[in-house]
Amino acid sequence: WLDSTLAEDDGLVKPYTPMTVEGNTVSVLGRRVLIGANGLPDSIQSQFSMEMTSISGARREILAAPISFVPVGKDPALRRWINGPLIFTKKAPGVVTWETQSTAGPLQLTLRGQMEFDGTIEYTLKLTSRQSVALDDVRLDIPVERGVAKYMLGMGRKGGLRPDALDWKWDVKNNQDGAWLGDVNAGLQFSLKDEKYVRPLNTNFYTLKPLVMP
């Protein structure tokens, strides 16, 4: 991989196929994502066969419900986002980008998303408020279909069947910032980052450059 120029631009790496956009649906090889009015996925579908050797006509839904950004507080206005227009800012064979703004009471959420030809989606969300507001919590809900979420890897788990529940907290002693939930031919991996995120070094070099605590 030294001196390689692959993935330096918006082009493709074989054998991936060009991305397509139809309405708010972005498609890549074997998968498609319906972008909701808030800019987050409403639906993620996989068309890979159970053997992972071909693409079938059947689509397997990964999400049990749309992904949502949820502020929690006593103000009733916080329970309903008013979404602005969803604007696609780039449609290239290897990358698609979009942005939108939403408001809930005094809160404003600015979202920018980018999806690449291999299915990776990077999000930047900025939450601001026009005035002081009391919040009990701010969370990102990623509801995964129970039938899809058969196995789990990450956040302290080495793999195997998904547990019924998992309590987890950030700890810079461990290189843990996300997890994978899925089955053989469908799943979702997420990585949680803040504005100071720097990718840690791997394996035995981790202590030289550990995870930055969000």
Side-chain angles (χ1 to χ4, degrees):
W1 50 267
L2 290 174
D3 299 323
S4 172
T5 59
L6 291 176
E8 283 189 349
D9 53 25
D10 296 340
L12 292 170
V13 177
K14 295 181 179 180
Y16 288 100
T17 55
M19 303 178 65
T20 61
V21 180
E22 297 182 10
N24 289 353
T25 299
V26 184
S27 298
V28 297
L29 180 65
R31 289 145 294 169
R32 68 179 194 172
V33 178
L34 172 61
I35 307 299
N38 61 0
L40 296 168
D42 271 1
S43 169
I44 303 175
Q45 296 179 341
S46 170
Q47 289 181 265
F48 290 110
S49 66
M50 287 302 296
E51 298 80 13
M52 292 299 294
T53 56
S54 64
I55 297 174
S56 66
R59 297 189 178 100
R60 191 173 184 189
E61 178 61 54
I62 292 173
L63 297 181
I67 295 178
S68 58
F69 189 83
V70 184
V72 181
K74 296 180 180 179
D75 186 349
L78 301 176
R79 301 169 191 164
R80 180 175 178 269
W81 286 105
I82 300 174
N83 301 307
L86 179 69
I87 302 172
F88 284 90
T89 54
K90 180 185 291 187
K91 298 178 181 178
V95 64
V96 173
T97 62
W98 59 92
E99 59 186 36
T100 188
Q101 288 190 342
S102 305
T103 58
L107 300 181
Q108 177 172 288
L109 182 65
T110 302
L111 178 147
R112 292 180 177 87
Q114 173 174 298
M115 184 171 176
E116 299 185 5
F117 60 86
D118 62 356
T120 300
I121 306 178
E122 289 277 351
Y123 275 107
T124 301
L125 291 87
K126 181 179 181 181
L127 183 67
T128 57
S129 181
R130 298 188 304 271
Q131 63 191 53
S132 296
V133 58
L135 296 176
D136 299 319
D137 192 14
V138 177
R139 68 175 188 262
L140 181 68
D141 282 349
I142 310 176
V144 179
E145 278 283 358
R146 182 179 295 273
V148 171
K150 183 176 181 179
Y151 304 106
M152 178 179 178
L153 173 69
M155 290 186 163
R157 292 191 60 83
K158 296 182 179 181
L161 294 174
R162 169 189 51 81
D164 291 333
L166 176 67
D167 292 325
W168 174 89
K169 292 184 178 181
W170 292 100
D171 189 341
V172 295
K173 296 178 181 178
N174 303 314
N175 186 356
Q176 299 175 7
D177 57 18
W180 171 85
L181 288 166
D183 200 358
V184 175
N185 68 332
L188 182 148
Q189 178 179 346
F190 63 90
S191 180
L192 306 172
K193 308 173 183 179
D194 71 350
E195 72 276 11
K196 300 183 292 297
Y197 180 85
V198 178
R199 182 176 178 179
L201 296 177
N202 291 331
T203 61
N204 53 314
F205 298 106
Y206 177 67
T207 56
L208 301 177
K209 185 185 176 184
L211 187 73
V212 178
M213 176 70 76

